[in-house]
């Protein structure tokens, strides 16, 4: 066993505190990764606070992991010691079902094995995530991180990056299309960068005017305040595609009104409570309401390579582990520009 140090939540009210646990010795196809940085995704907060009602404690969160390979099993062919690598939201899947064979392992019929708050394939060994100094992962679920990207700014690509890249690609967002990105947080700011880099005309749709200058700097052409009724009325019927990254209950019907005929809105945000939808908002104008979940291993690698080529990474605030609980509160308040990333060196201070 490999001794690991990290931070864990003991229950939905405890917040995160130091925690020591074991990682398995590498099997034939495992790589041992010394974790350098781990991003704080709003999904970590939902799960640590049991907002989705499926939490398993103790929980070591973290699925935006970047680190270096420090060891490997004898069957590993894809990585060498010293390689800069990443681990995202899942660490295994059945490898046999249609979804796994098609490279969309996040939709594995047997259920993907999530990086934390889940179990390994044996169905009983708990998985622990990236708020820790070391992780042992099968090479087929490890990503190569381009060396040109700052590793701290690369970490959020493993979830916020792929979660926004995948639907923009799947729905073929292309030059000249009018794209709205709702919520300028961790996911939203990556959505803006990707949609702009795919040539779309991007509007950030935000609850207040305070992020407008940032939105434009990130690549948005326009900024729409969703709490301003006259601005919303003027924008009715004008978007081809909307990516909704909002983490809390909000008015999807108002967003449907922003779509043109045959437009599509894709939910990637995962609020705790169901969102009411009025049928008329969809049937009038033949609109599509869809959802999307992270991305498969092949597409995650494609996204990372694309980021390496185009110089795209996340805008991050790097923090020591000791500030993680405060960072959660700030994220919930929308007070982060635009992703907190934990520097794992702080664990040994
Ligand atoms: P985040 O950094 O906290 O950003 C969420 C943004 O939503 C905020 O910055 C804010 O933007 C907006 N917002 C928050 N409360 C709102 C409200 N009451 N009404 C309207 N807008 C509000 O969170 P994140 O890490 O980007 O994650 C966003 C959501 O996606 C979470 O629910 C997370 O669990 C989910 N998620 C889903 C997937 C997937 O695969 N589908 C993957 C990762 C995360 P403004 O300040 O601009 O209004
Ligand atoms: Zn995430
Ligand atoms: Zn499968």
């Amino acid at each position: 066993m490999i001794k690991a140090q990290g931070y864990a939540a003991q229950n939905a009210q405890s917040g995160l505190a130091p925690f020591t646990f074991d990682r398995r010795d590498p099997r034939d196809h495992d790589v041992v990764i010394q974790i350098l940085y781990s991003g704080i995704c709003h999904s970590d907060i939902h799960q640590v606070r049991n907002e989705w009602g499926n939490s398993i404690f103790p929980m070591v969160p973290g699925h935006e992991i970047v680190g270096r390979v420090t060891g490997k099993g004898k069957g590993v062919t894809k990585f060498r010691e010293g390689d800069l690598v990443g681990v995202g939201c899942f660490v295994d899947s059945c490898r046999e079902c249609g979804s796994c064979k098609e490279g969309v392992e996040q939709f594995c019929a047997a259920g993907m094995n999530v990086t934390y708050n889940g179990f390994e394939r044996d169905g009983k060994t708990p998985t622990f995530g990236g708020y820790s100094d070391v992780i042992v992962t099968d090479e087929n679920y490890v990503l190569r991180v381009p060396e040109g990207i700052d590793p701290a700014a690369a970490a959020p690509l493993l979830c916020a990056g792929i979660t926004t890249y995948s639907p923009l690609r799947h729905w073929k967002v292309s030059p000249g299309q009018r794209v709205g990105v709702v919520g300028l947080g961790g996911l939203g700011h990556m959505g803006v960068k990707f949609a702009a880099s795919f040539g779309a005309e991007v509007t950030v749709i935000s609850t207040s005017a305070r992020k407008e200058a940032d939105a434009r700097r990130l690549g948005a052409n326009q900024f729409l305040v969703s709490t301003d009724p006259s601005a919303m009325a003027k924008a009715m019927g004008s978007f081809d595609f909307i990516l909704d990254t909002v983490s809390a209950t909000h008015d999807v019907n108002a967003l449907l009104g922003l779509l043109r005929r045959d437009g599509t809105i894709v939910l990637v945000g995962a609020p705790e409570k169901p969102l009411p939808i009025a049928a008329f908002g969809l049937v009038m104008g033949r609109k599509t309401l869809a959802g999307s979940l992270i991305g498969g291993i092949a597409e995650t690698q494609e996204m990372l390579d694309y980021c390496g080529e185009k110089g795209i990474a996340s805008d991050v605030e790097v923090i020591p582990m000791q500030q993680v609980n405060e960072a959660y509160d700030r994220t919930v308040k929308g007070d982060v520009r635009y992703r907190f990333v934990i520097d794992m060196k702080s664990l040994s201070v």
Side-chain angles (χ1 to χ4, degrees):
M1 289 293 188
I2 299 171
K3 282 275 166 236
Q5 275 191 70
Y7 264 46
Q10 296 298 332
N11 59 59
Q13 287 77 40
S14 65
L16 294 150
F19 181 65
T20 306
F21 59 104
D22 292 325
R23 297 285 193 190
R24 65 175 183 254
D25 289 319
R27 299 175 190 146
D28 281 1
H29 285 281
D30 282 345
V31 291
V32 182
I33 301 164
Q34 186 207 341
I35 301 177
L36 299 172
Y37 297 100
S38 213
I40 297 180
C41 177
H42 205 117
S43 302
D44 300 345
I45 304 175
H46 289 310
Q47 292 174 93
V48 160
R49 298 183 175 175
N50 197 19
E51 290 171 359
W52 293 339
N54 67 346
S55 296
I56 305 163
F57 296 104
M59 183 191 301
V60 177
H63 57 209
E64 293 185 336
I65 300 166
V66 166
R68 288 213 183 262
V69 175
T70 54
K72 59 189 181 113
K74 56 181 186 304
V76 170
T77 56
K78 296 184 175 164
F79 299 98
R80 290 191 192 157
E81 286 178 18
D83 284 354
L84 190 65
V85 296
V87 177
C89 297
F90 57 94
V91 289
D92 214 335
S93 64
C94 86
R95 310 179 192 207
E96 285 165 4
C97 73
S99 294
C100 284
K101 286 202 170 129
E102 285 168 44
V104 283
E105 302 90 348
Q106 73 273 31
F107 304 122
C108 174
M112 63 175 160
N113 300 91
V114 288
T115 304
Y116 70 88
N117 195 28
F119 298 97
E120 292 182 9
R121 290 231 61 76
D122 65 6
K124 57 180 188 205
T125 309
T127 53
F128 291 119
Y131 296 10
S132 58
D133 55 358
V134 60
I135 190 166
V136 179
T137 308
D138 185 293
E139 63 173 333
N140 295 300
Y141 296 81
V142 174
L143 288 307
R144 189 171 292 284
V145 176
E147 287 283 352
I149 311 179
D150 165 21
L157 299 176
L158 276 303
C159 176
I162 185 59
T163 300
T164 50
Y165 180 93
S166 183
L168 292 169
R169 284 296 198 209
H170 182 80
W171 276 274
K172 300 189 169 49
V173 163
S174 51
Q177 283 190 334
R178 293 208 60 198
V179 170
V181 176
V182 193
L184 195 63
L187 267 55
H189 93 291
M190 289 312 306
V192 171
K193 290 189 187 204
F194 285 131
S197 109
F198 299 164
E201 191 189 321
V202 183
T203 300
V204 166
I205 304 168
S206 188
T207 47
S208 77
R210 70 199 158 103
K211 296 177 182 169
E212 177 163 1
D214 285 350
R216 292 186 188 277
R217 180 179 53 76
L218 293 164
N221 309 90
Q222 292 182 53
F223 193 86
L224 175 59
V225 179
S226 54
T227 51
D228 175 346
S230 71
M232 287 291 278
K234 262 192 228 146
M236 290 279 280
S238 64
F239 290 94
D240 297 289
F241 182 88
I242 294 178
L243 186 67
D244 182 343
T245 76
V246 174
S247 52
T249 305
H250 62 292
D251 186 3
V252 177
N253 299 300
L255 300 173
L256 281 169
L258 296 176
L259 289 173
R260 64 154 173 77
R261 194 200 73 215
D262 291 319
T264 299
I265 179 166
V266 175
L267 302 185
V268 287
E272 183 178 353
K273 299 202 178 79
L275 299 163
I277 303 291
F280 276 100
L282 285 170
V283 300
M284 302 298 285
R286 199 165 47 190
K287 294 171 184 176
T288 302
L289 168 65
S292 187
L293 179 72
I294 47 176
I297 294 294
E299 194 176 38
T300 305
Q301 190 61 61
E302 174 193 309
M303 177 272 314
L304 286 166
D305 295 344
Y306 181 82
C307 288
E309 270 163 42
K310 302 277 176 180
I312 294 174
S314 195
D315 287 26
V316 297
E317 266 188 66
V318 178
I319 57 160
M321 183 67 92
Q322 293 75 11
Q323 286 174 17
V324 66
N325 293 307
E326 189 190 331
Y328 273 29
D329 291 337
R330 283 187 51 199
T331 301
V332 172
K333 284 189 216 137
D335 176 21
V336 49
R337 308 267 161 121
Y338 277 87
R339 196 57 135 191
F340 285 115
V341 170
I342 303 162
D343 182 348
M344 232 41 74
K345 278 198 304 293
S346 60
L347 275 176
S348 46
V349 174

